[in-house]
Amino acid sequence: MAGITDRPFRTLCRRLGAGLAVAEMVAANTALWGSRKSLRRLDYRDEPGPISAQIVGSDPAEMAEAARLNVELGAHIVDINMGCPAKKVCKVAAGSALLRDETRVARILEAVVAAVEAPVTLKIRTGWSPEERNAVRIARIARESGIAALTVHGRTRACTYGAPAEYDTIRAIRASVDIPLIANGDIASAQDARRVLDYTGADAIMIGRAAQGRPWIFGDIAAGLASEPAHPSESPNAPRHWIKDILREHLESLYAFHGDYAGVRIARKHIAWYCRHLPGAASFRDTINTTESASEQLRLALAFLDRDHDDYARP
């Protein structure tokens, strides 16, 4: 979710019901922190808490130092990413590639936990490949290292996002390790959430890609789990004005935080996600992707939602 869960998006998701929003992944090598992109990712000023910073790397000392600096910058929680399947991350033995080196995993976790007083959390996949699922052993290492909570994505690194998530491994972790456990993968509704929670025994769920273009999903799921009345967003014909208000808030916050030039470019993917289920979305995306002005981009996006669509189809 790097490049997506910036501060404007995290703030919006929290307002719409997310209990915790983890910041974008930042490399543990602080020599790389001088870029404009990294500086924005490390900017937690005035952000409603709790703030969870996310670090990725393979060197225990670098990871510990990155944790310390993030806490100094205002983070309340340090989250270690050992789940990212991206080639550029795995080729430097970081992200989910670390799952193949349990000794290094232990060294990193122990170093980071010792470096900060803030809680340290960990996100993993179920293993490197279906033949090398070792998440239960990693969970035991996490518990012994003092990790405060463990998030498990129900796929191996080899599965990327192509295969359906499996929850047997998460269930096995729950049976084996007494640690706060968060389930992740293919959860896009309150029904999904209830099924996964009941089956795995996890304490909470994490939502990733399902929130793209649907930042209200957190409130929807929370209401469903609590057997509360459905939010207007769950109706077959979601109120157009309600979606427009959220999109306007999101785009204006992107322009304010990133500046018009970068904000317009970052907004393109978000607009596409908000509108992807509407008729004519593909051709509209081409228009949005060539629009350079923030004011024009906002006008076009809101106008598209005002078109005479039959409904705002639910994903």
Side-chain angles (χ1 to χ4, degrees):
M1 299 290 282
I4 299 168
T5 54
D6 56 12
R7 194 168 79 187
F9 189 64
R10 295 196 302 272
T11 300
L12 181 61
C13 290
R14 283 195 190 96
R15 187 178 72 73
L16 293 172
L20 178 68
V22 181
E24 295 176 273
M25 185 172 67
V26 176
N29 183 355
T30 57
L32 304 176
W33 287 11
S35 70
R36 182 176 298 179
K37 180 185 293 186
S38 292
L39 291 173
R40 285 203 187 100
R41 290 182 178 181
L42 293 161
D43 184 357
Y44 309 128
R45 291 173 298 176
D46 302 320
E47 181 172 352
I51 297 166
S52 178
Q54 182 181 177
I55 59 175
V56 63
S58 59
D59 181 82
E62 285 186 350
M63 292 285 277
E65 179 64 11
R68 281 192 293 268
L69 292 174
N70 270 281
V71 171
E72 289 178 7
L73 290 168
H76 305 115
I77 300 167
V78 175
D79 186 57
I80 298 174
N81 185 311
M82 292 187 183
C84 180
K87 288 183 180 179
K88 66 180 181 181
V89 173
C90 290
K91 74 178 182 181
V92 293
S96 56
L98 283 166
L99 300 177
R100 307 182 88 179
D101 189 345
E102 295 176 17
T103 300
R104 184 176 291 270
V105 167
R107 289 174 55 211
I108 290 172
L109 300 187
E110 290 165 4
V112 175
V113 169
V116 294
E117 294 185 4
V120 178
T121 60
L122 172 66
K123 183 179 181 185
I124 64 172
R125 286 189 167 227
T126 56
W128 177 255
S129 69
E131 298 74 33
E132 299 176 83
R133 284 198 178 99
N134 62 336
V136 172
R137 292 199 301 274
I138 297 290
R140 290 173 181 152
I141 294 169
R143 179 195 57 195
E144 295 304 314
S145 301
I147 291 298
L150 174 67
T151 300
V152 183
H153 181 93
R155 293 180 174 90
T156 68
R157 192 271 174 177
C159 294
T160 60
Y161 295 100
E166 60 88 10
Y167 309 107
D168 289 339
T169 303
I170 303 175
R171 182 185 176 104
I173 291 171
R174 174 76 301 155
S176 177
V177 180
D178 182 17
I179 187 173
L181 182 62
I182 303 165
N184 173 238
D186 289 351
I187 301 170
S189 68
Q191 292 75 20
D192 292 339
R194 174 49 61 201
R195 174 174 51 84
V196 171
L197 288 170
D198 288 347
Y199 183 74
T200 64
D203 301 288
I205 58 166
M206 178 176 283
I207 304 294
R209 292 172 300 148
Q212 295 171 350
R214 297 173 64 198
W216 53 82
I217 189 174
F218 304 99
D220 287 349
I221 288 177
L225 290 176
S227 299
E228 295 176 354
H231 194 277
S233 69
E234 281 296 305
S235 66
N237 299 296
R240 195 86 47 81
H241 67 85
W242 187 80
I243 304 296
K244 283 178 59 181
D245 288 345
I246 291 176
L247 179 56
R248 181 193 299 275
E249 177 185 345
H250 192 175
L251 297 187
E252 289 179 344
S253 64
L254 285 173
Y255 306 146
F257 184 68
H258 294 285
D260 282 2
Y261 181 83
V264 163
R265 283 149 183 80
I266 292 167
R268 289 170 180 167
K269 58 181 174 246
H270 289 286
I271 295 170
W273 288 324
Y274 278 101
C275 300
R276 62 189 161 187
H277 303 289
L278 293 175
S283 59
F284 174 65
R285 184 171 62 247
D286 293 338
T287 300
I288 282 295
N289 287 348
T290 57
T291 302
E292 301 288 338
S293 160
S295 59
E296 181 67 1
Q297 185 184 64
L298 177 61
R299 185 190 70 79
L300 288 171
L302 298 180
F304 185 73
L305 288 180
D306 268 337
R307 284 173 51 178
D308 188 21
H309 303 298
D310 290 337
D311 59 64
Y312 191 92
R314 300 295 298 169

